[in-house]
Amino acid sequence: MFYQQRVLVSLLRNSIKLALKQLKNWMAPEKAKTSLTTFPASAEIVSEPLGVVLVISAWNYPFLLSIDPVIGAISAGNAVVLKPSELAPASSALLTKLLEQYLDPSAVRVVEGAVTETSALLEQKWDKIFYTGSSKIGRVIMAAAAKHLTPVVLELGGKSPVVVDSDTDLKVTVRRIIVGKWGCNNGQACVSPDYILTTKEYAPKLIDAMKLELEKFYGKNPIESKDMSRIVNSNHFDRLSKLLDEKEVSDKIVYGGEKDRENLKIAPTILLDVPLDSLIMSEEIFGPLLPILTLNNLEESFDVIRSRPKPLAAYLFTHNKKLKERFAATVSAGGIVVNDIAVHLALHTLPFGGVGESGMGAYHGKFSFDAFSHKKAVLYRSLFGDSAVRYPPYSRGKLRLLKALVDSNIFDLFKVLLGLA
């Protein structure tokens, strides 16, 4: 897991470097076009801080998901209160120590605690609330924000599908799915693949390839692998066990299924054709279980995805250009990745966020700056060139002239001025 943590720290360093490098450009007023209606005038859009914002972060990537939004909030000029997750107490304590040591406490504060402290924070009036976590708690956050008409960014999750076409490089596809699922916190990631859709004909090849690569990566007993993350706590272990122990689900295991509650370890587990109405297909898994659903043809995958709430991410593996284009055009998700898993997170030029039940709002790069800024419209007019057309008494001629001005129609304006209309 040391390797993964180094990667996450590098992502944070890149976010900070980008903000330092680009902040002057982000802050610069954006010129806006004007029209005949306001002539002579100039206009611009000015970014200003919202004020004091609350950031409530998640436990699965406690540093990345805490500091990354704080970078955007500070860049935009806000004061920030950060509430780390109590489910990662060591990280929460370290964040408190480091931020108090290196950041101005009058601008950035950390509040530790659990439900009581979070509830107390939500009773206060904020200028924006940024939350990363489950849709269940997202609803609580939104309800609390509504009392003060506080805008929110909700980074939630959902059941992110992976569609695998037979026209693909099977080995590369399988390796990228494995790393995207089990290499990312053993499935405890909001953009982790939640289920696979493929054809009945192709499924056996896909499963055999996954078994082969999983053994290469994690050995014959993956629970003992140092590269396999633990489940965060006993409550989440029991939740995942409940998903797996349903009778109609446990019979569908084709690989894995081993559990070690004492060490909070669950092996990578593949299931084939679990019932669509089972618990494992009704809620976000957020763990090392991966159902594969088989279809008569890949066209059916679009119906399956569209019949469910919009996910945070959707993935497709194929060489087929038309399928890529159709997938990107018709599947609604927070983000689409073709031929890889979760790598869109590393691009600061792309917004990261959900849609529908997977969240609202987006951040990363300039999108973080924008998420914590108010875009203020500013219009500068001259006191010269004042027109009598806007003032009483009104006439039909004034009305025609005013209409031409509002429509910004230069041809009609000249016709009115020349007495031709």
Side-chain angles (χ1 to χ4, degrees):
M1 289 302 102
F2 176 74
Y3 172 81
Q4 187 181 112
Q5 293 303 321
R6 290 295 298 269
V7 171
L8 297 176
V9 170
S10 294
L11 287 175
L12 274 178
R13 286 171 61 89
N14 289 340
S15 292
I16 294 169
K17 288 178 181 178
L18 179 71
L20 290 171
K21 182 179 180 180
Q22 296 295 334
L23 187 55
K24 186 175 181 180
N25 293 329
W26 294 349
M27 293 171 60
E30 180 185 344
K31 292 297 181 183
K33 289 184 178 181
T34 57
S35 66
L36 284 172
T37 308
T38 57
F39 180 83
S42 63
E44 60 187 19
I45 301 166
V46 176
S47 297
E48 66 177 11
L50 292 170
V52 182
V53 301
L54 173 65
V55 174
I56 303 175
S57 63
W59 54 263
N60 54 334
Y61 295 102
F63 268 71
L64 180 67
L65 299 180
S66 294
I67 298 178
D68 210 12
V70 168
I71 293 168
I74 295 173
S75 299
N78 300 279
V80 188
V81 172
L82 170 64
K83 168 60 181 68
S85 173
E86 68 277 11
L87 298 185
S91 297
S92 179
L94 184 58
L95 279 166
T96 302
K97 178 183 177 181
L98 293 177
L99 268 61
E100 286 179 354
Q101 183 176 352
Y102 292 106
L103 297 180
D104 182 352
S106 67
V108 181
R109 286 290 184 94
V110 181
V111 174
E112 291 191 87
V115 176
T116 301
E117 288 76 14
T118 303
S119 298
L121 286 171
L122 289 174
E123 290 174 3
Q124 313 306 311
K125 182 175 178 8
W126 304 94
D127 294 295
K128 193 153 199 175
I129 298 175
F130 187 106
Y131 168 74
T132 303
S134 70
S135 57
K136 178 182 177 181
I137 303 301
R139 289 179 169 86
V140 175
I141 302 291
M142 199 167 183
K147 295 177 183 177
H148 301 288
L149 295 180
T150 300
V152 297
V153 173
L154 300 179
E155 294 296 336
L156 309 178
K159 299 188 72 63
S160 297
V162 183
V163 177
V164 180
D165 185 19
S166 58
D167 182 13
T168 188
D169 184 317
L170 182 57
K171 183 176 180 179
V172 174
T173 295
V174 163
R175 290 166 72 90
R176 290 182 179 180
I177 290 174
I178 290 172
V179 171
K181 175 66 174 181
W182 293 286
C184 291
N185 251 2
N186 206 5
Q188 298 169 106
C190 56
V191 290
S192 172
D194 208 85
Y195 63 100
I196 291 176
L197 295 166
T198 192
T199 61
K200 288 180 169 63
E201 181 183 3
Y202 197 63
K205 295 179 183 177
L206 178 63
I207 292 169
D208 287 344
M210 292 183 75
K211 290 177 180 179
L212 181 64
E213 296 300 325
L214 278 165
E215 188 170 320
K216 286 181 183 178
F217 289 169
Y218 303 115
K220 293 187 176 181
N221 188 2
I223 282 182
E224 296 179 355
S225 172
K226 293 181 180 180
D227 293 315
M228 185 62 59
S229 299
R230 295 193 307 167
I231 306 306
V232 65
N233 58 30
S234 57
N235 287 339
H236 278 275
F237 184 97
D238 293 341
R239 177 186 62 82
L240 289 164
S241 296
K242 183 180 178 182
L243 296 181
L244 197 58
D245 292 342
E246 274 192 297
K247 182 65 171 71
E248 64 269 31
V249 171
S250 59
D251 291 343
K252 303 294 185 178
I253 296 174
V254 294
Y255 180 84
E258 297 84 8
K259 294 180 289 185
D260 178 356
R261 194 176 190 279
E262 182 179 350
N263 293 304
L264 297 177
K265 287 285 193 85
I266 298 178
T269 302
I270 302 171
L271 306 103
L272 182 62
D273 284 329
V274 298
L276 287 175
D277 60 354
S278 60
L279 197 58
I280 200 171
M281 286 305 299
S282 302
E283 61 180 57
E284 184 179 8
I285 294 172
F286 222 72
L289 319 178
L290 185 60
I292 296 177
L293 305 181
T294 62
L295 312 166
N296 293 317
N297 57 72
L298 222 55
E299 286 293 310
E300 295 177 9
S301 65
F302 291 94
D303 295 329
V304 174
I305 295 171
R306 284 196 292 254
S307 69
R308 297 173 173 272
K310 297 177 181 179
L312 185 58
Y315 307 108
L316 169 69
F317 286 87
T318 185
H319 287 309
N320 189 310
K321 183 180 178 182
K322 288 185 178 179
L323 183 58
K324 294 177 188 178
E325 292 172 348
R326 188 182 172 202
F327 191 82
T330 61
V331 172
S332 183
I336 300 285
V337 180
V338 176
N339 291 332
D340 214 329
I341 303 289
V343 292
H344 60 307
L345 297 177
L347 283 179
H348 65 79
T349 52
L350 290 176
F352 177 71
V355 58
E357 290 195 22
S358 59
M360 61 183 69
Y363 72 124
H364 286 182
K366 186 176 184 296
F367 301 101
S368 293
F369 176 85
D370 291 340
F372 290 102
S373 299
H374 167 57
K375 302 302 179 182
K376 181 168 60 180
V378 179
L379 178 67
Y380 300 97
R381 283 212 73 199
S382 172
L383 290 171
F384 297 101
D386 197 38
S387 173
V389 70
R390 64 188 293 192
Y391 305 119
Y394 297 115
S395 65
R396 290 186 178 277
K398 281 186 176 182
L399 179 61
R400 287 194 295 270
L401 185 57
L402 189 61
K403 185 176 182 300
L405 284 169
V406 170
D407 293 342
S408 294
N409 191 320
I410 192 72
F411 182 70
D412 286 349
L413 179 61
F414 277 117
K415 284 172 65 178
V416 173
L417 291 174
L418 293 172
L420 301 175

